């Protein structure tokens, strides 16, 4: 735990009225799904191709399934998108005036492949009009790829406006003077800093009955012994169970599920809100410290005073 005003400067929130994501250090994410659906419709519907035989047009966006998002971390943008797209096309043969219809399917548009390598399938309803199908398979597919490229360009520019904030380069003389004047009162203002977190799922077997293991977690003296920290325990519905296992300026929530197995108890632990940078150390603490200590309790449960 850092002392107030002496923490890692990347986490210091200052010089911004909203107090968010200074120097673009923290993880931020935007859901681009709805925006993408609108942009794909805008760019694809109405695409036209023509040659001496006839003309074709993308007439409808029949289906667009999937999702897209953009995340920023340490000033870098990370894009995720995965789409299954189905389009309708219609065409007319110039000489006869005959009209034909068909479909265009893009089964997997994602960041894993370049647009040029993305599969695009063209089909036509029964009947004549193979010349129009061929037009769509060549010039039509080329136009569709162009529209998809424009979608990705817009995703990486238009949609991401404001995600990467201006980075502080050097303090001005005026700002330096203000900081010196304020040294005797405070150095930073920390307002609503969000940090990236994960949920940890763990399972551990104990050679004891459910009732005994549950009692270890609901007896204040025993909890304080295995956690080696102060605890607040009120073992009733809606009661409080609080231990200070880790030195964070942050709270995590732990859910414990006790599952009886023949001669044993399986403990299922779900720990929500663990800082990403503390995931591995938190797992190690539960496994190597708490669980091992609790297993000692199950051996000498009848006389816990024997434990140091």
């Amino acid at each position: 735990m850092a002392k107030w005003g002496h923490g890692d400067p990347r986490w210091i929130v200052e010089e911004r009225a909203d107090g968010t994501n200074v120097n673009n250090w923290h993880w931020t994410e935007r859901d681009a799904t709805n925006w993408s659906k609108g942009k794909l419709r805008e760019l694809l519907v109405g695409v036209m191709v023509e040659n001496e035989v006839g003309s074709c047009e993308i007439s409808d966006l029949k289906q667009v399934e999937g999702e897209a998002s953009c995340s920023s971390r340490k000033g870098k943008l990370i894009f995720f998108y995965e789409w299954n797209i189905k389009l309708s096309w219609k065409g007319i043969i110039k000489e006869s005036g005959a009209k034909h219809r068909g479909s265009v399917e893009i089964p997997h548009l994602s960041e894993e492949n370049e647009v040029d390598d993305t599969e695009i399938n063209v089909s036509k309803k029964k009947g004549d009009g193979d010349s129009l199908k061929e037009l769509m398979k060549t010039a039509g597919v080329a136009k569709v790829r162009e529209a998809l490229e424009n979608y990705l360009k817009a995703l990486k520019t238009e949609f991401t406006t404001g995600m990467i904030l201006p980075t502080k380069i050097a303090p001005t003389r005026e700002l330096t003077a203000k900081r010196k004047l304020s040294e005797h009162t405070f150095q930073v203002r920390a307002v609503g800093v969000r940090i990236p977190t994960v949920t940890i799922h763990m399972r551990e077997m104990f050679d004891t009955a459910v009732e005994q293991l549950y009692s270890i977690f609901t007896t204040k003296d025993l909890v304080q012994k295995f956690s080696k920290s102060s605890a607040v325990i009120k073992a009733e519905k809606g009661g409080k169970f609080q231990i200070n296992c880790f030195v964070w300026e942050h709270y995590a929530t732990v859910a414990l599920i006790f599952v009886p197995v023949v001669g044993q108890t399986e403990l299922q632990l779900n720990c929500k809100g663990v800082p990403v940078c503390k995931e591995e150390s938190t797992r190690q603490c539960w496994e190597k410290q708490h669980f091992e200590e609790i297993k000692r309790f199950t051996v000498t449960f009848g006389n816990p005073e024997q434990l140091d």
Side-chain angles (χ1 to χ4, degrees):
M1 181 182 294
K3 293 178 66 177
W4 181 259
H6 294 79
D8 188 327
R10 295 171 298 185
W11 292 91
I12 295 177
V13 179
E14 59 183 3
E15 298 177 16
R16 286 186 55 83
D18 56 5
T20 58
N21 209 15
V22 169
N23 290 339
N24 305 293
W25 180 257
H26 305 299
W27 179 280
T28 61
E29 181 174 321
R30 282 187 186 175
D31 185 352
T33 302
N34 290 334
W35 178 90
S36 293
K37 289 179 178 180
K39 181 59 69 172
L40 287 167
R41 180 179 296 278
E42 173 190 327
L43 294 171
L44 288 166
V45 176
V47 166
M48 296 183 65
V49 289
E50 185 177 9
N51 63 9
E52 65 280 359
V53 176
S55 61
C56 297
E57 177 186 1
I58 301 293
S59 57
D60 186 28
L61 179 61
K62 293 171 58 179
Q63 173 185 300
V64 53
E65 294 181 342
E67 59 182 326
S69 64
C70 177
S71 304
S72 68
R73 176 76 167 101
K74 299 182 183 179
K76 295 181 180 179
L77 293 175
I78 305 166
F79 296 93
F80 169 82
Y81 52 92
E82 188 170 17
W83 296 109
N84 179 353
I85 302 169
K86 293 182 180 180
L87 305 161
S88 296
W89 65 267
K90 61 183 180 180
I92 184 169
I93 297 177
K94 290 180 179 179
E95 184 176 345
S96 65
K99 297 179 180 179
H100 298 277
R101 294 178 178 274
S103 298
V104 177
E105 294 192 17
I106 308 165
H108 189 65
L109 172 67
S110 79
E111 77 282 354
E112 296 176 357
N113 300 304
E114 298 292 334
V115 171
D116 287 344
D117 299 324
T118 298
E119 181 182 358
I120 300 179
N121 302 315
V122 177
S123 61
K124 181 186 68 64
K125 292 186 176 180
K126 293 181 179 180
D128 296 330
D130 286 341
S131 57
L132 292 179
K133 178 182 176 182
E134 191 62 28
L135 176 60
M136 282 300 301
K137 288 180 68 174
T138 53
V141 166
K143 284 281 189 178
V144 168
R145 291 192 192 279
E146 183 181 333
L148 296 178
E149 288 281 11
N150 289 334
Y151 156 67
L152 296 181
K153 288 178 183 177
L155 176 64
K156 296 174 181 180
T157 55
E158 177 184 329
F159 179 77
T160 59
T161 301
M163 287 195 72
I164 299 297
L165 303 173
T167 301
K168 181 181 64 178
I169 299 175
T172 63
R173 292 181 179 178
E174 181 181 355
L175 178 59
T176 302
K178 287 182 178 179
R179 284 179 175 171
K180 288 182 178 179
L181 288 172
S182 63
E183 281 179 354
H184 297 293
T185 54
F186 60 87
Q187 291 182 308
V188 297
R189 294 190 301 274
V191 184
V193 178
R194 291 186 177 183
I195 62 174
T197 63
V198 295
T199 298
I200 293 176
H201 304 284
M202 302 178 68
R203 295 171 181 265
E204 189 77 13
M205 298 299 298
F206 294 87
D207 296 327
T208 187
V210 169
E211 293 78 11
Q212 287 186 330
L213 188 60
Y214 179 80
S215 180
I216 290 174
F217 277 96
T218 54
T219 303
K220 182 176 180 179
D221 289 343
L222 298 182
V223 171
Q224 291 184 151
K225 281 187 176 182
F226 80 70
S227 67
K228 294 179 172 57
S229 70
S230 59
V232 178
I233 308 294
K234 196 173 184 181
E236 61 184 41
K237 185 176 181 180
K240 185 175 290 189
F241 180 96
Q242 182 176 322
I243 56 177
N244 301 308
C245 296
F246 310 101
V247 185
W248 304 336
E249 289 182 343
H250 178 79
Y251 285 97
T253 303
V254 179
L256 301 174
I257 302 173
F258 302 84
V259 181
V261 183
V262 178
Q264 293 180 305
T265 298
E266 180 185 67
L267 177 65
Q268 299 177 3
L269 180 147
N270 299 314
C271 190
K272 183 178 181 181
V274 178
V276 170
C277 61
K278 298 294 184 182
E279 179 180 3
E280 187 57 32
S281 61
T282 301
R283 287 182 181 276
Q284 291 293 320
C285 185
W286 278 106
E287 289 176 356
K288 304 300 182 183
Q289 297 181 33
H290 298 337
F291 289 164
E292 291 300 320
E293 192 72 10
I294 291 169
K295 286 178 180 179
R296 292 179 60 209
F297 277 50
T298 63
V299 174
T300 58
F301 188 82
N303 188 15
E305 289 78 9
Q306 292 179 1
L307 296 172
D308 295 331

